[in-house]
Amino acid sequence: MAKVEIKSVSKVYDGGVRAVDNANIVVEDKEFVVLVGPSGCGKSTTLRMVAGLEDITEGELLIDGEKMNDIPPKDRNIAMVFQNYALYPHMSVYENMAFGLRIKKVPKAEIDKRVNEAARILDIEKFLDRKPKALSGGQRQRVAVGRAIVRNPKVFLFDEPLSNLDAKLRVQMRAELSDLHLRLNATMIYVTHDQVEAMTMANKIVVMKDGKVQQIGAPLFLYNHPVNKFVAGFIGSPPMNFLTVRVREEGANIILEEGSFKIKADPSHYEYLKKHINKEVYFGIRPEDMLYTDKGGDNSITVKVTVVEPLGADIHLWLTTETQPLVARTEPNHVFKVGDTAIFIPRMDKARYFDKETELAIVPSPDL
Ligand code: ADP
């Protein structure tokens, strides 16, 4: 069992920087939770408070119901894997993994058993005698993870562990860490600025901005039901489009007006849009929900193509209405050229709306 509860936790650094502001996060036993957000949003500070590397200014940290605020890091039964691996260059892989256990005076036979077991799990058995400099980046990363595994911790913490690897290796290590999570059946908290890592690895994502938790939920729930414009724009690539439109009532319908188009909202959203009649809102539409059509007509948007990015399986098209940019992702069954005029029909049932001032979602998320 290893449940981590971060209760109303804040961190104020010397000089008054409020790096984490009243964070409430519950990490259930065996869950893989990813803290994600732009650089400086407070993710590492949160993780370091769980590890005990930073004091908690306000609030409580509980592990399995026990308050940890004043427990030193070595007694928290937590292992942390850092971005720079922090391996000892003069020690072999075996020694690197064994070192922490030796310090704790674990018997030699037990150390041997744990190091060999970790090496087997990570497929680095044949490198045990090598020094870190004779390993590839991915292998070094595995040793760093191995050093955490041998400690048999209650909770694994990862601070941007893949950011020093090249793109291809990152994809592979992502899958390896997900697989490892399943095999070890352990509680893991993982920090990254990369929303793709968050989406692909997490059971639950915590999106942070300016020290504040914005939203917590399963990856696809956040994708489909972001609580605000920030989460909507942060999760997903290319990001959601946000077009400023004016909400109008036309007979029984609610329509959205932009200088160059006028489209009908989905009736399921009327109840909430009614409160914004004659006001401007952000109309959020994901690139894949912009459907290409060769015919104009009701509910279509006519745009100009500004950039064409053919990716093989699909095409990213950078477009512009008369005044506002947007992106569409389409299948590669039509040839687009820069300067073309193209017509798209947005899937209005998938549209999201955000208040122009508060940037909060206008249509509430369904209850879980
Ligand atoms: P992230 O991991 O999301 O990039 P951090 O948790 O490292 O963000 O930092 C959050 C905020 O706290 C930033 O504004 C950063 O400059 C500040 N910060 C981090 N460490 C310290 C420190 N030791 N002293 C003062 N400010 C810090």
Side-chain angles (χ1 to χ4, degrees):
M1 262 290 283
K3 177 175 176 177
V4 179
E5 292 166 88
I6 296 170
K7 287 187 157 177
S8 308
V9 164
S10 299
K11 172 72 187 182
V12 183
Y13 282 112
D14 294 346
V17 179
R18 191 166 270 270
V20 177
D21 191 7
N22 194 23
N24 283 289
I25 303 168
V26 176
V27 181
E28 298 291 349
D29 185 38
K30 300 182 177 51
E31 220 173 16
F32 195 132
V33 168
V34 177
L35 310 185
V36 69
S39 179
C41 72
K43 328 177 272 296
S44 295
T45 301
T46 304
L47 199 71
R48 291 168 63 81
M49 286 193 284
V50 175
L53 302 174
E54 295 289 353
D55 290 337
I56 295 170
T57 314
E58 293 157 16
E60 280 192 344
L61 169 71
L62 307 183
I63 298 181
D64 287 341
E66 206 181 317
K67 191 171 167 188
M68 287 286 135
N69 293 48
D70 301 320
I71 306 287
K74 66 177 177 39
D75 298 329
R76 292 192 186 189
N77 209 352
I78 276 175
M80 185 146 165
V81 178
F82 295 91
Q83 176 178 352
N84 60 9
Y85 321 144
L87 299 179
Y88 300 109
H90 57 286
M91 289 185 195
S92 68
V93 167
Y94 185 99
E95 288 300 325
N96 262 287
M97 291 207 277
F99 185 70
L101 300 179
R102 278 203 217 295
I103 300 273
K104 281 186 153 177
K105 305 231 182 324
V106 176
K108 203 164 173 307
E110 177 67 16
I111 294 180
D112 205 49
K113 187 169 143 246
R114 290 207 213 166
V115 170
N116 281 307
E117 172 67 7
R120 191 185 56 75
I121 290 172
L122 295 164
D123 199 19
I124 49 175
E125 287 159 296
K126 52 184 179 296
F127 307 125
L128 282 173
D129 295 331
R130 287 201 197 165
K131 297 273 168 59
K133 70 172 185 311
L135 299 177
S136 69
Q139 289 158 352
R140 275 180 220 165
Q141 183 51 257
R142 274 186 225 146
V143 178
V145 174
R147 205 169 41 179
I149 291 175
V150 296
R151 295 181 48 199
N152 205 4
K154 273 192 168 183
V155 185
F156 286 84
L157 305 180
F158 295 93
D159 192 358
E160 303 254 7
L162 306 186
S163 38
N164 288 348
L165 305 177
D166 67 44
K168 194 166 165 213
L169 200 52
R170 268 206 312 269
V171 174
Q172 186 188 331
M173 288 300 293
R174 228 158 62 196
E176 283 187 19
L177 285 177
S178 292
D179 180 49
L180 189 71
H181 171 243
L182 292 177
R183 283 189 292 151
L184 294 177
N185 224 348
T187 306
M188 296 186 168
I189 310 179
Y190 187 105
V191 158
T192 179
H193 63 276
D194 180 351
Q195 61 88 25
V196 178
E197 277 181 25
M199 288 297 282
T200 51
M201 300 172 81
N203 302 132
K204 194 158 91 184
I205 295 179
V206 179
V207 181
M208 296 184 70
K209 181 191 170 216
D210 299 337
K212 291 196 174 69
V213 172
Q214 304 290 304
Q215 190 172 9
I216 301 179
L220 286 180
F221 186 81
L222 296 200
Y223 191 80
N224 291 318
H225 303 288
V227 289
N228 60 30
K229 182 171 176 260
F230 176 79
V231 175
F234 192 78
I235 302 279
S237 174
M240 183 184 279
N241 297 297
F242 300 107
L243 296 167
T244 298
V245 296
R246 191 168 286 277
V247 182
R248 295 230 190 260
E249 214 160 11
E250 222 177 59
N253 293 327
I254 291 188
I255 57 159
L256 312 173
E257 261 181 15
E258 201 245 17
S260 62
F261 66 81
K262 190 169 126 175
I263 43 179
K264 191 160 98 65
D266 190 79
S268 67
H269 298 149
Y270 283 6
E271 178 188 350
Y272 307 101
L273 287 172
K274 272 212 161 89
K275 298 174 191 128
H276 295 263
I277 300 290
N278 292 329
K279 285 196 214 143
E280 282 190 338
V281 300
Y282 290 112
F283 161 49
I285 186 87
R286 295 221 177 258
E288 67 271 27
D289 296 326
M290 294 282 292
L291 307 179
Y292 173 73
T293 172
D294 49 11
K295 291 190 268 314
D298 283 354
N299 281 341
S300 65
I301 298 183
T302 301
V303 288
K304 253 201 168 44
V305 178
T306 55
V307 177
V308 181
E309 294 180 342
L311 297 174
D314 52 17
I315 305 177
H316 295 173
L317 292 170
W318 299 77
L319 311 165
T320 174
T321 68
E322 273 163 25
T323 52
Q324 305 192 72
L326 69 164
V327 184
R329 168 191 268 162
T330 70
E331 291 182 357
N333 47 17
H334 182 88
V335 177
F336 295 94
K337 293 192 306 296
V338 172
D340 280 356
T341 297
I343 305 168
F344 287 84
I345 297 183
R347 290 186 53 177
M348 297 307 285
D349 58 325
K350 296 280 193 172
R352 302 283 115 202
Y353 300 93
F354 302 94
D355 189 289
K356 205 70 204 287
E357 266 146 44
T358 63
E359 301 199 345
L360 294 174
I362 287 172
V363 178
S365 307
D367 288 334
L368 287 177

